[in-house]
């Protein structure tokens, strides 16, 4: 669900070019800022009705996510509750409808760099996190999440989450190398896991 403040957000610092030729709208380097995020849109809309074929690429420039929960509370309390942390995020999404009235397809990539955080169900903090997460119509593919524990050791995560819905199945492989078995790790495990 899109937070209300994003729906109410207005574009600013907008530049770019729209060209209409034979009922096709060409979008060229449409740049701007919305809700603090800088973006660039390129592509075309093949007709002037709302369900026409469309092919757009939306790129979001790198932006810093501070560790301050107030930042997340304004945007998505659910995301911060599940993955509290900080870092730099960028990405893109391709949106396409091949035929008029057809299904809209989406694919994209989220890149996370220089991050620090943890997953709420396993509160073991990782730092120097680098992640590539692919977005597909029917699934989220965790291509690679890699980070370092606070007391050393490397953690890598790969897998997928599908379908893209509330009842998604999570199939992830977590590999840890050189991770010390210390109080940080024990505290992250629930009683049954210890």
């Amino acid at each position: 669900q899109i937070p209300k403040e994003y729906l109410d957000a207005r574009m600013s610092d907008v530049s770019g070019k729209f060209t209409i030729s034979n009922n096709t709208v060409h979008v060229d380097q449409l740049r701007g800022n919305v809700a603090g995020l800088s973006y660039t849109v390129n592509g075309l809309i093949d007709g002037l009705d709302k369900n026409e074929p469309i092919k757009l690429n939306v790129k979001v420039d790198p932006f810093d996510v501070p560790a301050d929960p107030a930042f997340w509370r304004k945007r998505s309390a659910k995301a911060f509750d599940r993955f509290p942390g900080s870092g730099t995020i960028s990405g893109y999404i391709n949106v396409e409808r091949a035929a008029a009235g057809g299904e809209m397809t989406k694919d994209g990539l989220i890149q996370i760099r220089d991050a620090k955080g943890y997953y709420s169900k396993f509160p073991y903090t990782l730092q120097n996190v680098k992640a590539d997460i692919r977005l597909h119509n029917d699934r989220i593919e965790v291509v690679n999440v890699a980070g370092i524990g606070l007391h050393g050791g490397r953690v890598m995560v790969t897998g997928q989450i599908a379908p893209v819905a509330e009842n998604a199945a999570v199939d992830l492989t977590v590999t840890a190398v050189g991770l010390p078995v210390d109080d940080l790790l024990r505290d992250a495990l629930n009683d049954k896991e210890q």
Side-chain angles (χ1 to χ4, degrees):
Q1 181 160 345
I2 300 172
K4 183 177 180 351
E5 60 270 9
Y6 282 125
L7 296 175
D8 292 341
R10 300 288 180 244
M11 294 186 296
S12 63
D13 305 319
V14 178
S15 66
K17 185 168 116 179
F18 288 92
T19 306
I20 300 175
S21 173
N22 297 326
N23 286 335
T24 298
V25 179
H26 297 268
V27 182
D28 185 33
Q29 295 296 306
L30 174 62
R31 297 173 192 262
N33 187 299
V34 64
L37 303 176
S38 296
Y39 62 86
T40 304
V41 180
N42 286 292
L44 62 88
I45 304 166
D46 196 14
L48 302 176
D49 292 328
K50 68 179 183 177
N51 290 319
E52 296 292 353
I54 185 171
K55 186 172 188 175
L56 293 175
N57 169 272
V58 180
K59 178 182 168 250
V60 177
D61 293 339
F63 64 96
D64 291 328
V65 176
D68 176 14
F71 174 88
W72 279 111
R73 296 278 178 238
K74 288 181 191 172
R75 286 151 179 84
S76 176
K78 198 176 212 180
F80 182 77
D81 288 344
R82 287 184 183 168
F83 303 99
S86 61
T88 301
I89 300 175
S90 63
Y92 69 85
I93 189 157
N94 295 311
V95 179
E96 183 174 3
R97 179 176 24 242
E103 180 183 341
M104 192 80 78
T105 61
K106 300 165 281 305
D107 73 86
L109 176 70
I110 297 172
Q111 293 185 309
I112 302 170
R113 300 293 185 261
D114 302 318
K116 180 178 181 179
Y118 60 88
Y119 176 48
S120 62
K121 292 185 179 182
F122 185 71
Y124 186 82
T125 300
L126 295 177
Q127 58 192 351
N128 300 324
V129 174
K130 177 181 176 183
D132 291 318
I133 301 168
R134 283 201 129 338
L135 308 173
H136 303 279
N137 257 12
D138 58 346
R139 70 190 186 288
I140 297 170
E141 178 186 359
V142 179
V143 178
N144 184 41
V145 175
I148 299 170
L150 294 178
H151 292 164
R154 293 176 305 144
V155 176
M156 289 81 55
V157 181
T158 59
Q160 72 174 7
I161 302 164
V164 180
E166 282 292 320
N167 61 345
V170 178
D171 181 14
L172 299 176
T173 300
V174 178
T175 305
V177 177
L179 204 65
V181 179
D182 57 11
D183 288 341
L184 288 177
L185 181 58
R186 280 189 283 278
D187 290 346
L189 298 169
N190 65 39
D191 292 338
K192 193 188 303 183
E193 294 166 332
Q194 290 183 15

